[in-house]
Amino acid sequence: MIVEEHWWNGDATTRGRRDVYIRRSGEQWEVLAQIGGAQGRSTVQECPSRSAAVILASAWRGSSSSWRELVR
């Protein structure tokens, strides 16, 4: 999987950290939502297209302005 976009909520603590990723493999798209950093819990939702993945990632981030996009 290739990470296309990655956001985090700006909270560096293990308990408070949240990450949302848009990933792809060929034509397969998915959104990964992670709680508690790399060792925390996560859920993955497959999406039929990039636009669907963008909509889902936005919904999982919610309306908080604390989210930051991380650039690779």
Side-chain angles (χ1 to χ4, degrees), residues 31-34 41-45 60:
V31 177
L32 166 70
Q34 197 171 55
R41 296 176 300 156
S42 63
T43 186
V44 176
Q45 177 68 49
W60 280 355

Side-chain angles (χ1 to χ4, degrees), residues 7-13 16-19 65-68 70:
W7 298 268
W8 79 299
N9 67 342
D11 189 332
T13 66
R17 185 177 179 118
R18 305 290 187 267
D19 293 271
S65 64
S66 66
W67 286 90
R68 303 172 191 165
L70 299 178

Side-chain angles (χ1 to χ4, degrees), residues 27-69:
E27 294 300 312
Q28 179 183 359
W29 292 89
E30 66 182 31
V31 177
L32 166 70
Q34 197 171 55
I35 297 172
Q39 303 304 318
R41 296 176 300 156
S42 63
T43 186
V44 176
Q45 177 68 49
E46 291 184 19
C47 297
S49 65
R50 177 180 177 78
S51 59
V54 168
I55 291 167
L56 180 59
S58 177
W60 280 355
R61 290 191 319 270
S63 61
S64 174
S65 64
S66 66
W67 286 90
R68 303 172 191 165
E69 185 169 8

